[in-house]
Amino acid sequence: MDNKNIEIPKYIQNIPKVDKLYQQISNLPQFKDTARPIVIQTIQDTLERLRKGVIKGKFQEADLHESKVINEVQFMLNKAMQPNLQPVINATGIIVHTNLGRSLLASSALEHIIQIACHYSNLEYDLQTGKRGHRYQLVEDLICSLTGAESAAVVNNNAGAVLISLQTIASNKSVIVSRGELIEIGGSFRIPDIMALSGAKLIEVGTTNRTHLRDYQNAISPETALLLKVHPSNYSIEGFTASVDLKEMVHLGHELSLPVMYDMGSGNLVDLTSKDIHGEPVVQTILSSGVDIVTFSGDKLLGGPQAGIIAGRKAIIELIKKNPMARALRIDKLTLAALEGTLRLYQDPKTVFNKVPTLAFITRPLLEIKSAVETLYSAVKDLENDHIQVNIVKTNSKIGGGALPVQTLPTYCIGITSEKRSVDSIERYFRSLNPPVIGRIENDQYLLDFRTVLPDEMKVLQKFVGDFKAAS
Ligand SMILES: *Cc1c(COP(=O)(O)O)cnc(C)c1O
């Protein structure tokens, strides 16, 4: 010991022995199949903590009783055996929540993944000729028929799609972008940085709030290789604003034989205006305006897996496919299976809103959300408690994921407040549960927004809220 003044309590000798604990733990039914090294390591870590605690005076003799130590080891083992990547209940109401995994997959997409994961597949094998095939081809026709594009390719994500497109079209040349569109998407996607990485030179035109066609016209030089439009996904500039209509940009580009590219971000394939959601461009409409190439994400509004979709003119897409970077950014077979499974659901515009969870959450009837909230409320409202208040709150959910930054959807939440606990500590409590519940704080109230809660999670939430009331 480095500190001679501290006297180590004698009862430190009572700390149980590793072998004895191992024997007891490995006899418990729930741990009988647990690998020995994991159990031993957990016991050793627990005992080490106990030893340090005793020396610091944190633990008394009673804390070293074998039964107590066994309980502690069990708790730590359960924790150690939990996968690091685990399901959570998204009660934020934010549908495309990047930190919580963006979109949930449709069940048919999931089945397709399972089939492809457990069997060999024709990933790069042409079943007609028996020769090498191309993985893109498996979804290319589907993307083309859904979007009206001449040709399509898919890569790892939309950041990759933008990067490879810029690199292919404009490396060592320049690209003109409006200052109002030099966006940053949370988590390090910045147009100027991606541009630098691609080897293209960024030419900014206009001002933050206003850009006119003449700004593009004046900036065009022999160096120019591309006019780029970027969907300012996650923010909106309001007030005295002007941006150039895509059709005008296309007209200008084509007059001068310059391709026009649109990074759409979310990539929406359905008309949401019929669901009273406005302002998110539809891929088909954008392509029909004559834009040469669009890029969008697979896991935002499209509701599929993480992927980057590039659609547009064949001549450009062919060059992109041949770019060596395509190999580095290539899409994995399980993702491809999920993407194909998702895209096939779009072939039936009537059922797609029910089958793709992201679309189902967006169009979830308010009455359905209300009734789920009321069910939980009536189950917990009578649990005796004088300092926890549970009530029904009518507010708004966000779509998230850089789609429709301004539009919100009316929703119902369970609101929880306490006279004794801070709203932050309520938030921490729900986050520490298994499965963790992620809610949101609004007006100093902890909210569970039911828009994004799945039917089988309702019962779990009901128990959690009940337990919280009873225990607080
Ligand atoms: C989300 C987004 C990206 C990045 O897409 P990822 O699929 O996350 O790589 C790029 N551009 C825009 C406009 C976006 O909204």
Side-chain angles (χ1 to χ4, degrees):
M1 285 298 109
D2 11 304
N3 194 336
K4 294 194 180 80
N5 295 330
I6 291 178
E7 213 171 297
I8 301 167
K10 263 223 161 68
Y11 59 79
I12 197 163
Q13 296 165 355
N14 298 357
I15 289 181
K17 299 282 170 285
V18 175
D19 290 348
K20 190 136 180 263
L21 290 173
Y22 177 74
Q23 211 161 41
Q24 305 252 16
I25 303 258
S26 59
N27 277 333
L28 295 171
Q30 69 267 41
F31 298 119
K32 72 175 172 27
D33 295 328
T34 308
R36 185 184 149 92
I38 297 176
V39 182
I40 296 282
Q41 184 67 52
T42 307
I43 294 173
Q44 283 170 341
D45 293 348
T46 308
L47 296 187
E48 183 56 25
R49 238 188 10 260
L50 271 180
R51 213 168 282 127
K52 284 192 176 142
V54 170
I55 292 168
K56 282 192 184 147
K58 255 174 50 190
F59 294 124
Q60 304 310 311
E61 194 163 358
D63 295 319
L64 306 184
H65 279 168
E66 196 175 274
S67 62
K68 274 209 162 170
V69 178
I70 287 179
N71 278 346
E72 177 63 14
V73 173
Q74 282 194 61
F75 177 80
M76 295 311 291
L77 254 183
N78 279 326
K79 235 171 116 175
M81 290 183 343
Q82 281 260 335
N84 292 333
L85 182 59
Q86 55 177 313
V88 304
I89 296 181
N90 175 10
T92 64
I94 299 170
I95 299 163
V96 182
H97 195 307
T98 294
N99 304 144
L100 303 184
R102 289 195 179 160
S103 285
L104 307 189
L105 288 181
S107 54
S108 57
L110 210 59
E111 278 159 31
H112 200 184
I113 292 187
I114 293 170
Q115 286 302 314
I116 297 307
C118 330
H119 298 274
Y120 290 103
S121 63
N122 61 338
L123 180 65
E124 291 189 348
Y125 184 84
D126 186 329
L127 290 170
Q128 234 115 64
T129 61
K131 299 215 170 83
R132 180 161 201 261
H134 297 283
R135 65 178 71 204
Y136 303 121
Q137 231 138 40
L138 301 166
V139 286
E140 179 165 1
D141 290 348
L142 204 47
I143 296 171
C144 291
S145 79
L146 289 170
T147 62
E150 245 175 52
S151 183
V154 284
V155 292
N156 176 63
N157 60 6
N158 188 33
V162 175
L163 176 62
I164 193 172
S165 302
L166 291 176
Q167 215 270 346
T168 307
I169 303 167
S171 180
N172 297 319
K173 296 251 176 73
S174 62
V175 178
I176 303 178
V177 191
S178 158
R179 285 204 169 85
E181 297 171 358
L182 294 176
I183 56 156
E184 171 177 324
I185 311 280
S188 74
F189 177 89
R190 286 174 156 198
I191 289 293
D193 296 346
I194 294 283
M195 194 74 77
L197 204 57
S198 76
K201 187 169 164 214
L202 171 67
I203 307 288
E204 308 170 20
V205 296
T207 59
T208 306
N209 58 330
R210 290 174 74 83
T211 301
H212 306 277
L213 191 66
R214 61 172 184 275
D215 295 322
Y216 288 90
Q217 270 163 334
N218 292 341
I220 290 171
S221 77
E223 287 299 297
T224 310
L226 180 72
L227 306 182
L228 174 67
K229 187 171 178 64
V230 182
H231 186 22
S233 313
N234 52 0
Y235 78 109
S236 138
I237 299 179
E238 286 174 41
F240 184 60
T241 65
S243 65
V244 174
D245 184 63
L246 191 62
K247 282 213 174 94
E248 283 183 285
M249 251 177 98
V250 167
H251 186 74
L252 175 66
H254 291 181
E255 246 178 15
L256 301 165
S257 300
L258 283 175
V260 177
M261 167 171 154
Y262 188 5
D263 172 16
M264 296 187 64
S266 224
N268 170 36
L269 296 184
V270 289
D271 180 11
L272 288 168
T273 55
S274 63
K275 311 282 177 185
D276 209 25
I277 292 164
H278 302 272
E280 191 61 29
V282 180
V283 176
Q284 297 87 306
T285 318
I286 296 301
L287 281 170
S288 71
S289 76
V291 81
D292 296 275
I293 170 166
V294 298
T295 65
F296 53 96
S297 290
D299 55 355
K300 290 184 178 171
L301 279 185
L302 188 72
Q306 178 189 305
I309 298 170
I310 310 168
R313 283 221 198 289
K314 194 176 175 76
I316 298 177
I317 303 275
E318 286 307 314
L319 291 175
I320 289 174
K321 286 178 182 169
K322 286 193 193 120
N323 187 329
M325 203 184 261
R327 177 64 173 76
L329 293 172
R330 86 176 178 189
I331 189 167
D332 148 72
K333 66 178 175 179
L334 300 184
T335 309
L336 202 53
L339 184 61
E340 183 182 2
T342 307
L343 288 170
R344 280 187 184 275
L345 295 173
Y346 279 88
Q347 290 176 310
D348 187 345
K350 278 210 203 72
T351 54
V352 69
F353 282 97
N354 293 328
K355 290 190 173 165
V356 172
T358 295
L359 295 180
F361 285 144
I362 290 174
T363 56
R364 195 165 190 179
L366 186 59
L367 279 180
E368 188 185 304
I369 301 173
K370 187 178 182 211
S371 130
V373 167
E374 282 170 349
T375 305
L376 188 144
Y377 178 73
S378 23
V380 303
K381 72 171 191 295
D382 289 335
L383 289 176
E384 212 52 52
N385 200 309
D386 49 6
H387 62 89
I388 301 275
Q389 290 82 43
V390 173
N391 49 22
I392 295 178
V393 181
K394 187 168 192 287
T395 172
N396 296 298
S397 327
K398 284 194 183 137
I399 293 177
L404 301 153
V406 186
Q407 174 126 25
T408 55
L409 307 167
T411 192
Y412 282 92
C413 301
I414 287 288
I416 304 177
T417 49
S418 164
E419 276 147 31
K420 289 200 183 151
R421 288 182 83 144
S422 70
V423 67
D424 291 329
S425 98
I426 302 176
E427 188 274 333
R428 269 199 306 277
Y429 171 89
F430 279 91
R431 185 154 43 83
S432 74
L433 297 170
N434 183 16
V437 176
I438 317 296
R440 68 171 197 265
I441 294 171
E442 206 172 280
N443 298 326
D444 227 19
Q445 201 173 170
Y446 181 67
L447 294 186
L448 299 169
D449 186 334
F450 275 42
R451 174 175 294 282
T452 44
V453 175
L454 299 166
D456 61 345
E457 293 169 343
M458 304 275 187
K459 275 263 174 301
V460 181
L461 268 192
Q462 184 170 317
K463 180 177 179 306
F464 284 171
V465 176
D467 289 351
F468 178 70
K469 253 194 115 177
S472 295

